[in-house]
Amino acid sequence: MDVVWEYIKAFAVGGLLCVIGQILIDKTKLTPGRILVSYVTAGVILSAVGIYKPLAEFAGAGATVPLTGFGHSLAEGVRRAVQEKGLLGAFTGGITQTAGGIAAAIIFGYICALIAKPHAKT
C-alpha cells in the first residue's frame, strides 16, 4: 500500500504543476519558452527559501522530474558547491549537479532524432 501512496502523491503534485502550466498557456500571452524559464526560476527560488526540498521529499518524482525540479537541482548544486569550494562553486555547482540529466537529454534526443528522421517544416 505504501508504493501506491507514493504513486498517488507523485501524480497529484506533478499533475498540479502541469495544471498550473496549462492555465498559464491558456489564460496568459506567455510563450512556452517563457513558461519554461519561469518554472526553472520558480524551482530555484522555492529551493532558496526552503520550500522545494520538503515538497520533493513528499512527492518524489512528481516534484523532481518537472522543470521546477531542474531548478531545484541547480540551486542545490550551487549551494553544495559554494559550501565546499567557496565563490567558485557558484559558477560550477549547478552544472555539476545537473550534468547527468543534461547528458541523458542530449543522448536520448539524438537517438530519437535518428529513429524518427525529423525534417524541417515547409
Side-chain angles (χ1 to χ4, degrees), residues 2-19:
D2 289 337
V3 174
V4 173
W5 181 240
E6 292 296 319
Y7 286 136
I8 292 170
K9 291 188 299 186
F11 180 79
V13 173
L16 180 63
L17 290 170
C18 291
V19 165

Side-chain angles (χ1 to χ4, degrees), residues 88-104:
L88 183 62
F91 300 105
T92 61
I95 300 299
T96 303
Q97 178 79 16
T98 58
I102 293 169

Side-chain angles (χ1 to χ4, degrees), residues 6 8 15-16 20-21 25 29 32 39-40 46 53 56 60-61 66 77-78 82 84-85 91 103 106 109 114 120:
E6 292 296 319
I8 292 170
L16 180 63
I20 293 168
I25 290 170
K29 294 183 179 183
Y39 263 51
V40 174
L46 291 173
K53 188 172 185 175
V78 168
V82 166
E84 294 172 4
K85 301 176 185 173
F91 300 105
I106 292 169
L114 290 174

Side-chain angles (χ1 to χ4, degrees), residues 1-107:
M1 187 63 179
D2 289 337
V3 174
V4 173
W5 181 240
E6 292 296 319
Y7 286 136
I8 292 170
K9 291 188 299 186
F11 180 79
V13 173
L16 180 63
L17 290 170
C18 291
V19 165
I20 293 168
Q22 190 64 49
I23 291 170
L24 290 173
I25 290 170
D26 292 343
K27 301 294 182 185
T28 68
K29 294 183 179 183
L30 292 173
T31 63
R34 288 185 177 169
I35 294 170
L36 178 144
V37 170
S38 298
Y39 263 51
V40 174
T41 304
V44 171
I45 292 169
L46 291 173
S47 292
V49 296
I51 295 172
Y52 207 82
K53 188 172 185 175
L55 178 66
E57 289 172 356
F58 171 76
T64 58
V65 172
L67 290 169
T68 49
F70 182 72
H72 171 66
S73 292
L74 286 171
E76 284 296 307
V78 168
R79 184 190 57 76
R80 189 175 305 127
V82 166
Q83 287 177 346
E84 294 172 4
K85 301 176 185 173
L87 184 60
L88 183 62
F91 300 105
T92 61
I95 300 299
T96 303
Q97 178 79 16
T98 58
I102 293 169
I106 292 169
I107 291 168

